[in-house]
Amino acid sequence: MNRSDASQTGGRGGRIYAVLRQAVVDQALPPGTKLPEDALGAEFGVSRTIVRAALQRLAADGLVEMKTKRTATDARPSLEEARAVFEVRRCLEREVVRLVAARWSDTLRDALAAHIAAEDDAARRQDGPATIRLAAEFHVRLAAMAGNKLLERYVGEVVSRCSLILAVFGRPHRSECAIGEHRSVLEALQRGDAAAAIAAMEEHVSLVEQRGVGGDSEGEADLGVILSRYLGRQGGDA
Amino acid sequence: MNRSDASQTGGRGGRIYAVLRQAVVDQALPPGTKLPEDALGAEFGVSRTIVRAALQRLAADGLVEMKTKRTATDARPSLEEARAVFEVRRCLEREVVRLVAARWSDTLRDALAAHIAAEDDAARRQDGPATIRLAAEFHVRLAAMAGNKLLERYVGEVVSRCSLILAVFGRPHRSECAIGEHRSVLEALQRGDAAAAIAAMEEHVSLVEQRGVGGDSEGEADLGVILSRYLGRQGGDA
DNA sequence: GGCGGCAATCTTGTATACTAGGCTTCCCTT
DNA sequence: AAGGGAAGCCTAGTATACAAGATTGCCGCC
C-alpha cells in the first residue's frame, strides 16, 4: 500500500531491489564492488531496464552510488554521512518510542517480546547474520507500531543505512548487548514509563553508533589505517 | 553531490522531475490529473524512459501515485497521510532548530533575515505563489543550515508533501501569520534561546497544520462538501 | 625503462519496438 | 430501456537497439 514498498515496479524489479538491498546491507559484496546493469540483468534474467530501476531506488536510499556514465557501486558512506545518518536516526526513533508508548497495549507487548525472544534465540544459536538482521528488524517493527507510515519508511531507510555503515566501519560487533538494550526499551514501555523508554532507545542508538564508528576518530583517512594493516605481513597473506 | 538531487539521471530527467514536482506542489494540475508517460515525453521532447524515471522519483516522494498498469496521477493524500506527514515534519524540524541553534552565527542570522525579508516583500506585492514558495523554502533553507544532508533531504520531502496537502485540503490560506511565525523562530535563535526557538517552530508547524487540515474534521468524505459548493450555482458556472 | 597517448572494449544513456493488460463504448439481450 | 458482454483502443511493462562516453591495456616515444 505504501508507495515505496517492494512492488513499485512490478514483481521482478521488487525482488531485485530486495535482494540487492540485503546484499549491500549485509556487506556481502566487498566494498566498491561494481554493479553493472547487464551483468545483474543476466543474473536475474531480466533486462537492464528493470535492473536500472532497482539501482535507482537503491541509490535514492543511499545504499549504492550512481554517477553519470559510471558503473554503479555499493555505497561507501563517509564518516560525515555516518554521523548524519545516526543523528537523524536518533531523532526519528525518539519519536517512534514516544508514539508507541502512547498506544501501548498487550498486543504490542507480545509482538515485541516475541521478536526479542527470536533475537535471543539467534544469538544463542551463534547465527551471526540472523542476529544482525533481527536486530535491525526490531527497529523497523517498532516503527511500524507507531502507526505512521512515513515514519516507518524513514526508519527503515536509516536503519538500512546504519547496517551498511556498521558493516563498512565496523569491528566485529557484539550484538548481545544490543539485545539487552532492546529489552530495556521493552521493559520501560511495559512499565508505562515513556520518558525512560525514550532515554533507553536514545542510549541504545548512541551505543550502536559508538560501537560502530566511535572509537577511532580517524576522520575519513582510513586509507592509512588500511594500508598499515598490510605493512606487517608483506608477502604473507595466507 | 547528494545522491538524491536533481541531476540523478542526467540533465533532462532532472529538469522534468523539477518541473513536475513544482507543478504538483503548486497544485497547478487539478487533483486527479492523469500524467501519461508519452504525453509528458512529447511535451518535454524526451522518450518515455526519461519521463518514467522522473515519475518514479516523484512517486517515491509521495507526490504522484503510480499503480501498476495504471496511468500515474498527482497524489491525493488522505487525511491520515496528512496527519502522518505533519507529525514527522514536526519531529524533523524540531531537530533542525536544535542543530541550527547549536551552530548559530551572524552569517546564518543574516541569511535567514534576508529570506524573511524576501517573504515579506512577496507578501507586500500580493504575489501569492511567490509567498507560498518562499514560505516553504524557509524551512528547507533552515534545514540546510543544520549541516546534516540527510535531515535536509527529509525536510525537503516533507515540506513538499505539506505544500501539496495544503493545496489539496486548504482553504485560501493567509501566509502573513506564517511570516510572523518564521520571524519568531529567528528572534528566538538570535536571543540564543534554543528552547524557545524549538517551541516557536513546533507551534508554527502545528498552526500550519491546523490552518490547512484542522478545522473541518470531515474524515475523507469531502465529496459532499465539494458537491455542495456547486449546488448553489447549478447551470450558472460563468 | 618509464610515461603519455591512442585504440579497442565495455557500459551507460536514451529511444523505440513489441507485448500485455485495462478502459470505454457500443451493441446485443432480456 | 437497462444491464451485461465483447471488441477495439489506449497506456503501461519490458526488452532491445544504437549512440556516446569511460576505462583499460597496449604500443611507441622519450
Side-chain angles (χ1 to χ4, degrees):
Chain A
M1 318 302 122
N2 188 323
R3 74 193 45 70
S4 78
D5 65 14
S7 62
Q8 183 181 53
T9 184
R12 258 99 56 84
R15 182 169 144 265
I16 295 178
Y17 171 78
V19 169
L20 284 181
R21 181 188 183 100
Q22 195 62 50
V24 172
V25 166
D26 290 354
Q27 195 74 359
L29 319 166
T33 304
K34 292 197 173 183
L35 302 168
E37 294 172 2
D38 359 6
L40 291 174
E43 187 68 35
F44 287 100
V46 298
S47 78
R48 283 180 49 214
T49 308
I50 310 296
V51 174
R52 197 174 174 72
L55 287 175
Q56 281 168 339
R57 283 179 68 191
L58 289 164
D61 290 349
L63 297 180
V64 312
E65 272 161 21
M66 287 180 89
K67 291 196 276 202
T68 184
K69 277 285 184 187
R70 244 162 224 79
T71 305
T73 64
D74 53 343
R76 196 81 83 85
S78 67
L79 216 59
E80 181 60 20
E81 279 178 319
R83 192 193 58 77
V85 172
F86 271 102
E87 193 164 72
V88 172
R89 177 172 173 178
R90 248 189 313 270
C91 165
L92 292 173
E93 298 235 42
R94 200 184 303 136
E95 185 77 359
V96 165
V97 174
R98 203 176 64 75
L99 292 172
V100 172
R103 43 158 60 199
W104 189 242
S105 74
D106 286 355
T107 312
L108 297 185
R109 182 202 55 196
D110 293 345
L112 215 54
H115 186 91
I116 293 180
E119 288 188 69
D120 253 338
D121 192 52
R124 215 176 303 112
R125 286 200 319 272
Q126 310 262 7
D127 187 347
T131 307
I132 293 172
R133 200 172 314 130
L134 285 169
E137 209 182 309
F138 171 82
H139 295 270
V140 178
R141 287 268 195 104
L142 193 67
M145 294 176 182
N148 183 320
K149 286 287 181 196
L150 181 60
L151 189 58
E152 184 181 345
R153 176 160 87 79
Y154 281 171
V155 168
E157 257 181 60
V158 296
V159 167
S160 293
R161 284 182 80 167
C162 284
S163 295
L164 171 62
I165 288 165
L166 292 183
V168 169
F169 289 95
R171 59 216 74 210
H173 56 153
R174 5 194 60 259
S175 30
E176 304 81 34
C177 20
I179 299 179
E181 289 155 25
H182 289 179
R183 186 168 281 115
S184 297
V185 174
L186 169 60
E187 284 165 1
L189 284 169
Q190 182 57 22
R191 285 200 311 275
D193 188 344
I198 292 173
M201 176 60 88
E202 207 154 332
E203 191 189 354
H204 169 49
V205 174
S206 293
L207 286 174
V208 170
E209 180 176 11
Q210 274 174 38
R211 284 197 287 267
V213 301
D216 48 326
S217 50
E218 287 290 332
E220 68 292 344
D222 7 69
L223 182 63
V225 179
I226 291 172
L227 291 181
S228 73
R229 282 186 212 146
Y230 292 83
L231 289 178
R233 52 182 172 113
Q234 278 189 344
D237 76 335
Chain B
M1 306 311 113
N2 190 321
R3 75 195 43 73
S4 78
D5 62 15
S7 62
Q8 184 181 52
T9 185
R12 258 99 55 87
R15 180 167 145 267
I16 296 178
Y17 171 78
V19 169
L20 283 181
R21 180 188 183 99
Q22 196 62 50
V24 172
V25 166
D26 290 352
Q27 196 74 359
L29 319 166
T33 304
K34 292 197 174 182
L35 303 168
E37 295 174 0
D38 9 11
L40 292 173
E43 186 68 34
F44 286 100
V46 298
S47 76
R48 283 178 49 211
T49 308
I50 311 296
V51 174
R52 196 174 174 73
L55 287 175
Q56 280 168 339
R57 283 179 68 190
L58 289 164
D61 291 348
L63 296 179
V64 312
E65 272 160 23
M66 288 180 87
K67 290 196 277 202
T68 186
K69 277 286 183 186
R70 244 162 221 77
T71 305
T73 65
D74 54 342
R76 196 79 83 85
S78 68
L79 215 61
E80 180 60 20
E81 279 177 319
R83 192 193 58 77
V85 172
F86 271 102
E87 191 163 74
V88 171
R89 177 172 173 177
R90 249 191 311 271
C91 166
L92 292 173
E93 298 235 42
R94 199 185 303 136
E95 184 76 359
V96 165
V97 174
R98 203 175 65 74
L99 291 171
V100 172
R103 42 157 62 199
W104 189 241
S105 74
D106 287 354
T107 312
L108 296 185
R109 182 203 55 198
D110 293 345
L112 216 54
H115 186 89
I116 293 180
E119 287 188 71
D120 254 337
D121 192 54
R124 214 175 304 114
R125 287 200 318 273
Q126 309 262 8
D127 187 347
T131 308
I132 293 172
R133 202 170 314 129
L134 285 168
E137 208 181 309
F138 171 83
H139 294 270
V140 177
R141 286 269 196 105
L142 194 67
M145 294 177 182
N148 184 319
K149 286 287 178 195
L150 182 60
L151 188 57
E152 184 181 344
R153 175 160 87 78
Y154 280 170
V155 168
E157 257 182 58
V158 294
V159 166
S160 293
R161 284 182 80 166
C162 284
S163 295
L164 171 61
I165 288 165
L166 291 183
V168 169
F169 289 94
R171 59 215 76 206
H173 55 153
R174 4 194 61 258
S175 32
E176 305 80 36
C177 21
I179 298 179
E181 290 155 24
H182 289 178
R183 187 169 281 116
S184 298
V185 174
L186 170 62
E187 284 165 2
L189 284 169
Q190 182 58 23
R191 284 199 312 273
D193 189 344
I198 291 173
M201 175 60 88
E202 209 154 331
E203 192 190 354
H204 169 49
V205 174
S206 292
L207 285 173
V208 170
E209 181 176 11
Q210 276 174 37
R211 284 196 288 267
V213 301
D216 46 326
S217 51
E218 287 288 334
E220 67 292 345
D222 7 70
L223 182 63
V225 179
I226 292 174
L227 290 182
S228 72
R229 284 186 209 146
Y230 293 84
L231 286 179
R233 51 185 172 109
Q234 276 190 343
D237 75 337

